[in-house]
């Protein structure tokens, strides 16, 4: 893929993500790309795999459903307005069409009697059931898996300094082969730049919730901490982990159990912590190689801000 094309489309996606709560016109995003408006939409679809409009609608709905799950104090109407919908009626219709369930059914899975197959299944091939993603339903299972006697004592609040990182995004979201491909390239790059494998500090930026977003559409970026003097060139990118307070949960288990551990932070610890998540993606700091050991050992980091 042409590097310039990819760079421009990434700039468009960043613009969309920063403005999801506002009305976004197709002319705006075409202008951000610096491609001809006559051809931009075809280029975007070819590279991203969905139209600009489908991408914007999907991301708005995914953000909205995450709010329904994790911000239960917000009314459905408030969630609708906060995510760029003009009314709760339009919001409910869009949620039902995409997920096959209404907002109230997503918040109250016990009341679900039947549902239609939503667009997320017919278009993206992803099964969606509110009972699978509502965090209060998995709390006990999470704690049994992690074998934690006192949930609150096993999450540590740490003050982290700014860390400069070299990153490489997975090209197919959370698909394991794509993740490992990104890590292999990044680990080799770091080794070639003088950072020994056993000394590499590796973090993944996990932007999306795979219980809501189709696996291949989830945004996952591998990163390794580097010194100030190391130069970063394409296809790698320079980024940073900002200074601040982070909730840190140690996890050791199967890859399939990691989502449950992540959700336990939100449902069991955050509500009584005096903090809320800051506007920064979840981080996973890997402490082993799952392909060799057969299990994942890592620290899950959530950047915090005081309520």
């Amino acid at each position: 893929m042409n590097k310039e094309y990819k760079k421009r489309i990434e700039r468009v996606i960043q613009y969309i993500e920063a403005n999801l709560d506002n009305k976004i016109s197709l002319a705006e995003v075409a202008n951000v790309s610096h491609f001809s408006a006559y051809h931009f939409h075809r280029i975007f679809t070819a590279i991203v795999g969905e139209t600009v409009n489908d991408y914007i609608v999907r991301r708005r709905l995914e953000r909205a459903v995450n709010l329904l799950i994790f911000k239960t104090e917000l009314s459905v109407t408030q969630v609708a307005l906060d995510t760029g919908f003009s009314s709760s009626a339009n919001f409910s219709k869009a949620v039902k069409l995409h997920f096959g369930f209404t907002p109230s059914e997503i918040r109250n899975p016990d009341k679900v009697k039947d549902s239609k197959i939503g667009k997320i299944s017919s278009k993206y091939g992803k099964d969606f059931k509110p009972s699978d993603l509502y965090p209060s339903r998995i709390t006990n299972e999470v704690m049994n898996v992690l074998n934690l006697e006192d949930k609150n004592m096993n999450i540590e609040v740490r003050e982290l300094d700014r860390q400069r990182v070299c990153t490489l995004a997975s090209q197919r979201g959370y698909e394991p082969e794509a993740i490992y491909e990104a890590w292999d390239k990044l680990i080799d790059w770091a080794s070639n730049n003088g950072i020994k494998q056993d000394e590499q500090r590796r973090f993944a930026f996990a932007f999306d919730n795979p219980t809501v977003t189709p696996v291949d559409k989830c945004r996952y970026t591998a990163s390794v901490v580097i010194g100030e003097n190391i130069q970063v060139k394409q296809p790698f990118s320079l980024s940073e982990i900002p200074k601040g307070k982070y909730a840190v949960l140690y996890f050791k288990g199967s890859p399939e159990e990691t989502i449950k551990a992540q959700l336990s932070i939100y449902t069991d610890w955050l509500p009584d912590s005096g903090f809320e998540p800051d506007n920064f993606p979840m981080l996973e700091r890997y402490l082993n190689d799952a392909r060799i050991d057969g299990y994942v050992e890592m620290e899950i980091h959530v950047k915090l801000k005081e309520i």
Side-chain angles (χ1 to χ4, degrees):
M1 183 187 301
N2 184 287
K3 293 179 182 178
E4 180 62 24
Y5 272 51
K6 185 177 178 181
K7 183 179 178 180
R8 291 193 197 182
I9 295 302
E10 286 176 350
R11 188 163 61 231
V12 168
I13 289 175
Q14 289 172 3
Y15 178 85
I16 292 172
E17 292 295 325
N19 291 278
L20 276 175
D21 296 346
N22 305 314
K23 186 175 181 180
I24 304 173
S25 72
L26 298 182
E28 280 180 66
V29 289
N31 186 56
V32 170
S33 75
H34 295 299
F35 282 119
S36 164
Y38 296 107
H39 306 289
F40 162 70
H41 305 300
R42 294 186 182 89
I43 294 171
F44 185 96
T45 302
I47 292 177
V48 178
E50 55 191 324
T51 68
V52 180
N53 189 61
D54 281 351
Y55 180 89
I56 293 172
V57 170
R58 176 176 65 80
R59 288 294 300 123
R60 277 195 174 131
L61 289 169
E62 289 166 359
R63 176 177 287 188
V65 167
N66 278 313
L67 286 176
L68 288 172
I69 298 166
F70 296 117
K71 292 282 189 178
T72 54
E73 72 275 13
L74 298 179
S75 67
V76 171
T77 299
Q78 191 61 54
V79 171
L81 297 177
D82 287 350
T83 50
F85 290 87
S86 59
S87 69
S88 59
N90 289 337
F91 172 60
S92 296
K93 183 178 179 180
V95 170
K96 176 74 173 181
L97 180 64
H98 186 78
F99 291 101
F101 300 86
T102 65
S104 61
E105 287 174 330
I106 289 172
R107 277 196 162 164
N108 301 281
D110 291 333
K111 297 181 179 180
V112 174
K113 294 181 180 180
D114 54 16
S115 66
K116 297 179 180 179
I117 296 176
K119 190 175 181 180
I120 193 172
S121 178
S122 60
K123 182 177 177 65
Y124 297 104
K126 178 176 177 60
D127 292 331
F128 181 87
K129 297 178 181 178
S131 59
D132 290 342
L133 57 84
Y134 201 63
S136 63
R137 289 178 153 256
I138 66 169
T139 299
N140 292 334
E141 184 180 353
V142 170
M143 292 309 127
N144 290 335
V145 168
L146 299 182
N147 195 25
L148 303 179
E149 295 181 359
D150 187 336
K151 296 172 289 189
N152 293 326
M153 293 301 292
N154 283 276
I155 292 181
E156 177 185 353
V157 176
R158 295 183 192 168
E159 188 79 40
L160 299 185
D161 290 329
R162 168 189 170 273
Q163 298 178 85
R164 188 171 182 259
V165 293
C166 174
T167 70
L168 185 65
S170 164
Q171 294 302 304
R172 295 184 305 281
Y174 283 10
E175 290 183 0
E177 289 185 4
I179 287 175
Y180 289 135
E181 182 180 345
W183 276 115
D184 286 342
K185 290 179 180 178
L186 185 60
I187 289 169
D188 286 345
W189 177 91
S191 298
N192 292 333
N193 279 272
I195 309 173
K196 298 178 181 178
Q197 285 201 24
D198 58 357
E199 296 177 358
Q200 294 176 11
R201 289 173 55 84
R202 301 167 188 161
F203 290 86
F205 290 65
F207 292 87
D208 299 308
N209 180 353
T211 59
V212 174
T213 303
V215 170
D216 64 326
K217 300 297 183 186
C218 287
R219 294 164 297 157
Y220 178 101
T221 299
S223 76
V224 63
V225 177
I226 60 174
E228 294 295 332
N229 297 323
I230 295 180
Q231 299 298 309
V232 176
K233 298 180 180 179
Q234 290 288 341
F236 306 97
S237 299
L238 180 64
S239 188
E240 70 173 42
I241 297 171
K243 175 182 173 64
K245 285 186 172 67
Y246 291 78
V248 181
L249 172 65
Y250 172 80
F251 170 78
K252 182 177 180 180
S254 71
E256 294 76 20
E257 293 164 347
T258 57
I259 183 62
K260 300 173 183 177
Q262 293 169 352
L263 289 177
S264 74
I265 299 175
Y266 294 87
T267 189
D268 294 308
W269 184 82
L270 273 169
D272 298 316
S273 68
F275 297 100
E276 63 178 307
D278 204 351
N279 188 27
F280 188 73
M282 178 184 290
L283 297 172
E284 299 173 348
R285 183 192 172 198
Y286 299 116
L287 306 176
N288 77 324
D289 188 331
R291 287 176 290 183
I292 295 174
D293 299 331
Y295 61 86
V296 175
E297 185 176 10
M298 68 178 178
E299 292 176 340
I300 302 167
H301 292 61
V302 175
K303 193 172 187 298
L304 304 171
K305 62 180 179 181
E306 294 185 3
I307 295 176

